[in-house]
Every structure is written in C-alpha cells, then in structure tokens.
Amino acid sequence: MSNRRWTRQELLVAFRLYCQIPFGKLHSLNPEIIKIAELIDRTPSALAMKLANIASLDPAITSTGRKGLSSASNADKEMWQEMQNNWENFAIESENTINYILRGSESYVAENESASEYQDYTGQDRIVPTKTRIGQNFFRKSVLSAYKYRCCITGLAIPKLLEAVLKLLVSLEQEQKIRQIGWKYR
C-alpha cells in the first residue's frame, strides 16, 4: 500500500461508506472500514482519513460545530458536488462499484456460496422474480446511518420497524407520483 492518488472507484467506495457510517464511527478500528480498506488496497487509517476529509465538506456535520479533517482534495470536492447534483446516479454508480469490488473478494464468495448451499441442498436452479428499486439499498443505508439507526420521531432502534417504515414511505411516494400524473392528464 503506497502513497498514491485516489482513483474514481476508490472515491466512490469512500463516499458510499461515508453516507452509510455515522460520523462518530469514522475511524480506522471500525470493522467495515478495515474490510473495505483491504479490498481497495488502502490502509484502514487512509480510508478513515479520507472519510473524515469528506466530512469536512458536509454541511450536516459542519453546521453542528463538528468538523472533519481539513485536507479534502479537489477530487473530493468535485465528487461531493457530483453527489449533490445527481444523487440518484451517484447512488447507483457507487453501489455498482462496491458490488463489483465485493464480488472479487474471497469472503464475499465464501459467504454467498455457503448461504446458497445452506438454503438449497438439492443443487437445482430456481427462478425467483423480484422487483428492486435502483439505488434503494444505498438510500436505505444512508438514511439509517444519518439517524444513527434510530427512528427520528420515537428514538426507537428496531431495525425491522425502521425498514418497514422506509418501505411504506417509498410506496406512498410512488402512489403520490401516480396520482399527480393522473391529475395532469385529466
């Protein structure tokens, strides 16, 4: 691991982590940071410092008197702007990048092979139709992280409840969009 410039893919991974790890957990001993740092051939300290540099660009952090490190690069600032200008595309690209990197890791392959073997011992194929919202996983994790995995109204920290509420909000948003389109064309 050397002192080299961050690639776009590495920055996408760092920004994704930043959006999904609470500010107080952006340190080199965080297991998720350690795992991802290894996958992108960076030290956990380098990745944690990059995350703290990104935090210095975040008004949600700086407006509360907290601050990240003061060494955000021009590439960090450009990527922050890109994320702000087109959140949905940014979420999709960063999620695709991390998935690509994880697919190549031995632990990912081992986890997925053992999980599928555990669930289906026959070795037969099955077709499972699913509907997935693009960028939903990124959005869900970002919202949960922003509220420290607690309900912003009740303060409860029940993950299944939080996920159910997010799904409900998404479906209500879809209904509202459909209604608005319907009213436009009447």
Side-chain angles (χ1 to χ4, degrees):
M1 295 181 212
S2 62
N3 188 11
R4 57 184 166 80
R5 291 188 182 270
W6 286 72
T7 66
R8 177 171 178 78
Q9 286 70 31
E10 291 169 335
L11 286 173
L12 284 165
V13 169
F15 271 78
R16 178 190 175 275
L17 278 179
Y18 176 77
C19 291
Q20 297 179 359
I21 297 176
F23 181 75
K25 294 184 179 186
L26 301 179
H27 55 78
S28 61
L29 299 177
N30 181 316
E32 191 168 1
I33 291 175
I34 293 168
K35 174 185 171 185
I36 298 300
E38 182 180 333
L39 292 174
I40 64 172
D41 197 29
R42 294 281 181 174
T43 65
S45 295
L47 181 54
M49 288 177 69
K50 179 56 75 178
L51 298 174
N53 282 326
I54 295 168
S56 73
L57 304 171
D58 189 348
I61 297 298
T62 58
S63 68
T64 62
R66 298 174 293 173
K67 59 182 181 179
L69 294 176
S70 58
S71 302
S73 69
N74 287 335
D76 297 339
K77 293 172 186 173
E78 289 170 10
M79 188 157 283
W80 180 267
Q81 211 44 53
E82 180 183 337
M83 181 175 73
Q84 298 304 306
N85 292 338
N86 195 339
W87 174 258
E88 189 171 327
N89 283 346
F90 186 85
I92 292 167
E93 187 177 1
S94 64
E95 195 69 21
N96 288 341
T97 301
I98 192 70
N99 286 335
Y100 177 78
I101 289 169
L102 286 173
R103 277 190 199 99
S105 77
E106 290 177 21
S107 62
Y108 178 86
V109 171
E111 285 172 14
N112 286 310
E113 284 178 357
S114 65
S116 62
E117 287 174 15
Y118 175 76
Q119 293 174 357
D120 183 7
Y121 290 101
T122 63
Q124 296 177 359
D125 292 337
R126 71 175 177 201
I127 298 172
V128 181
T130 61
K131 178 180 173 184
T132 304
R133 284 195 72 205
I134 298 172
Q136 183 61 34
N137 192 38
F138 180 89
F139 173 75
R140 181 181 59 81
K141 287 182 179 178
S142 297
V143 170
L144 290 172
S145 173
Y147 289 99
K148 298 178 182 148
Y149 293 84
R150 295 187 164 281
C151 173
C152 64
I153 297 170
T154 65
L156 294 174
I158 303 170
K160 295 279 186 199
L161 178 64
L162 295 172
E163 290 186 23
V165 169
L166 275 173
K167 287 179 183 178
L168 176 63
L169 290 173
V170 168
S171 68
L172 291 174
E173 178 188 1
Q174 291 292 338
E175 279 183 35
Q176 184 177 11
K177 285 180 183 177
I178 291 168
R179 280 193 209 115
Q180 287 173 347
I181 291 170
W183 283 109
K184 283 182 187 178
Y185 294 105
R186 285 184 185 217

